[in-house]
Amino acid sequence: MSEEDEFELEPIEILELPLDAWHRDKGARMVEFAGYHMPIQYEGIMAEHIWTRENAGLFDVSHMGQLMLTGDGAAEALEALVPGDISALKEGKMRYSLLLAEDGGVLDDMMITAAPMGLYVVVNGAVKWDDMGYLREYLPDEITINNMEDRALLALQGPKAVDALKRVVPGVDALYFMEAGSFFWGPKTDPEPLWISRSGYTGEDGFEISVPATHAKALADQLCAQPEVKPIGLGARDSLRLEAGLPLYGHDMNPELEPVEANAAFAISKRRRAEGGFAGSDRILEALANGPARKLVGLSVEGKMPVREGAPIFVGEAQVGVITSGGFGPSVGAPIAMGYVDAAHNAVGTMLAAEVRGKRVSITVANLPFIPHHYHRKGANT
Amino acid sequence: MTRYFTEDHEWIEVDGDTATVGITQYAQSQLGDIVFAEVPAAGATLKKGGDAAVVESVKAASDVYAPVSGTVIEGNDALEGDPALVNSDPEGEGWFFKLTLSDSSELDSLMDAAAYQAFVDGL
């Protein structure tokens, strides 16, 4: 017996989410994603996508990590690893932020909310274990990291999400975009507190609901009983976010790229720009000042043939970039993509070519998002 | 006319030494909404098992293989304007290409409708 044999790895088990049986009952086709069995589609990606843009779609995103950071100075400590102004976050407000490696590379993107107990952080499912390890290593021991594995996460997205949800959970319509709070749901004699934010990943108005896993099925059933709501799979989640110009971690962002290259300079708060002092801040602030060597941009595609992740981007014979997300945009009615393009060729309107199966396809650098966002912003005219 | 099927979920309807090729109802249901199809040009030479056409859903691109060797007579131009024909009528109007068979003995290894149904039921 050789030494290697003793260390042979067991096959990695694909895990089940709290709503696994619920998805199968609803006719979902399940696929493996981020280590879990997840619904890719129910009736079809195109129909589910359009339904969400016009009504409300219910997404099970329980694979994502829900972390609670507690302890004195948690916000200040976290600021060493993210470029946002976390210590200025008022209770009930949230920010989009990025977990940074020591060299400024993006380890994950995340939502950070100032909750009454501490900082509520939602991270990507595929890298949540790495994130927790990294946070544990770099945060002081006084800061506790609680992985709330006993909670499911549901997203209700679309222009009618507010109408459906306020019927089930009174009062949620008081939230504006990027605000969150605790709301009671269920019988008055035995109500269940839910943590709800007005946020999402589709470009539409909508909510994300953290619910105890034991109650996830009852909540999903009650939401789907509303006439505006249908369950929506990961396939439409991907096409919706691509139309909204929102990056997918592991595809449009990775540890080799810093936030300015990743078109996420908006996540670097004003005070942090002035003060620096976060992981990789020298490299990141240099990219902010002088412009990054390459940048994530939107790309419109001529014709009907989609260009997919991995397709090289050319000007003449010179490769100047690569596609990182690409597919068909059901609401756009045409193929769309995002990719990294060198600084000399990434101005909006620049004509480029992507290579697909040995053929060149004309693409043009486009403004993001492809479909305007419809967020319920405070102070906006609605 | 006889219709044969492959394990890659193509159908081929043979009439003398010419044949029409498409993907099966099962294949379209697995792929989902078709947004683009690329069919071979007339005159193209195809080898059994080689790439013949491409079909793309919202999510992904998939190859359509040549069930037998031959020379393409015609690609289905209707798919360019209406790729969703592959969803609505995969084993009829949603055909991909017609070809002249170069070796009809290659048909012997393909499945008939009953064998293909049993194959799909076992998936």
Side-chain angles (χ1 to χ4, degrees), chain A residues 107-131:
Chain A
L107 297 176
D108 198 3
D109 62 346
M110 50 178 46
M111 285 288 189
I112 303 172
T113 310
M117 274 182 64
L119 293 174
Y120 170 68
V121 181
V122 177
V123 302
N124 280 296
V127 290
K128 64 183 175 184
W129 301 108
D130 296 333
D131 290 357

Side-chain angles (χ1 to χ4, degrees), chain A residues 29 46 306 308 357 359, chain B residues 29-30 33 38 56-58:
Chain A
R29 182 179 304 159
M46 203 89 90
R308 308 278 182 185
R357 294 184 288 272
K359 275 179 272 187
Chain B
S29 74
Q30 289 294 305
D33 301 306
E38 186 175 271
E56 301 215 21
S57 67
V58 178

Side-chain angles (χ1 to χ4, degrees), chain A residues 5-341:
Chain A
D5 288 338
E6 292 179 43
F7 294 100
E8 201 172 302
L9 294 169
E10 294 283 324
I12 293 168
E13 190 189 354
I14 310 302
L15 303 172
E16 277 184 16
L17 292 170
L19 290 176
D20 191 276
W22 187 88
H23 294 306
R24 293 173 199 270
D25 285 349
K26 296 274 177 194
R29 182 179 304 159
M30 305 295 280
V31 297
E32 193 252 305
F33 183 80
Y36 295 93
H37 295 290
M38 302 227 10
I40 182 88
Q41 66 169 67
Y42 302 83
E43 60 175 308
I45 295 175
M46 203 89 90
E48 291 169 32
H49 177 115
I50 300 295
W51 180 268
T52 305
R53 286 259 183 265
E54 295 176 353
N55 299 284
L58 182 67
F59 302 76
D60 178 13
V61 289
S62 302
H63 64 300
M64 298 185 84
Q66 299 181 66
L67 312 181
M68 186 65 79
L69 307 189
T70 51
D72 283 345
E76 291 75 13
L78 186 59
E79 282 188 356
L81 306 176
V82 305
D85 193 345
I86 308 305
S87 48
L89 263 188
K90 293 193 175 67
E91 193 174 301
K93 304 281 185 185
M94 58 199 291
R95 282 195 72 96
Y96 173 81
S97 201
L98 304 158
L99 186 64
L100 300 172
E102 286 184 69
D103 68 356
V106 179
L107 297 176
D108 198 3
D109 62 346
M110 50 178 46
M111 285 288 189
I112 303 172
T113 310
M117 274 182 64
L119 293 174
Y120 170 68
V121 181
V122 177
V123 302
N124 280 296
V127 290
K128 64 183 175 184
W129 301 108
D130 296 333
D131 290 357
M132 281 181 252
Y134 185 78
L135 289 168
R136 188 61 284 160
E137 185 179 350
Y138 283 87
L139 291 178
D141 292 346
E142 309 85 86
I143 310 298
T144 302
I145 304 168
N146 181 13
N147 175 26
M148 299 190 288
E149 283 189 284
D150 56 347
R151 298 188 79 85
L153 190 63
L154 303 179
L156 188 68
Q157 300 281 298
K160 296 180 185 170
V162 62
D163 301 329
L165 189 60
K166 75 181 181 191
R167 227 177 280 133
V168 175
V169 186
V172 291
D173 48 321
L175 292 173
Y176 286 100
F177 181 58
M178 297 298 271
E179 291 181 347
S182 189
F183 293 85
F184 285 106
W185 161 68
K188 282 198 170 61
T189 49
D190 184 24
E192 190 65 37
L194 305 175
W195 182 256
I196 299 180
S197 65
R198 199 152 190 173
S199 56
Y201 194 46
T202 60
E204 300 299 325
D205 183 22
F207 300 84
E208 290 170 304
I209 308 159
S210 177
V211 54
T214 47
H215 292 66
K217 183 181 176 297
L219 180 60
D221 278 336
Q222 208 183 338
L223 290 172
C224 279
Q226 308 305 312
E228 299 91 347
V229 180
K230 285 186 181 184
I232 308 295
L234 285 182
R237 183 169 164 84
D238 191 50
S239 55
L240 288 158
R241 70 91 194 166
L242 179 57
E243 285 185 342
L246 301 171
L248 175 60
Y249 190 78
H251 301 262
D252 307 304
M253 288 181 164
N254 67 55
E256 287 177 23
L257 302 156
E258 50 74 26
V260 187
E261 290 175 304
N263 194 32
F266 68 91
I268 310 168
S269 300
K270 193 176 164 193
R271 176 175 66 81
R272 310 303 310 280
R273 292 179 189 218
E275 296 175 3
F278 49 93
S281 54
D282 290 352
R283 174 187 173 195
I284 294 167
L285 296 178
E286 203 274 334
L288 259 184
N290 300 321
R294 57 188 168 170
K295 197 172 132 186
L296 183 68
V297 293
L299 298 159
S300 56
V301 180
E302 193 175 293
K304 292 193 164 181
M305 185 168 72
V307 300
R308 308 278 182 185
E309 181 177 1
I313 299 171
F314 291 95
V315 169
E317 290 310 302
Q319 186 177 345
V320 298
V322 63
I323 301 289
T324 53
S325 279
F328 185 82
S331 300
V332 174
I336 50 173
M338 295 199 289
Y340 281 87
V341 181

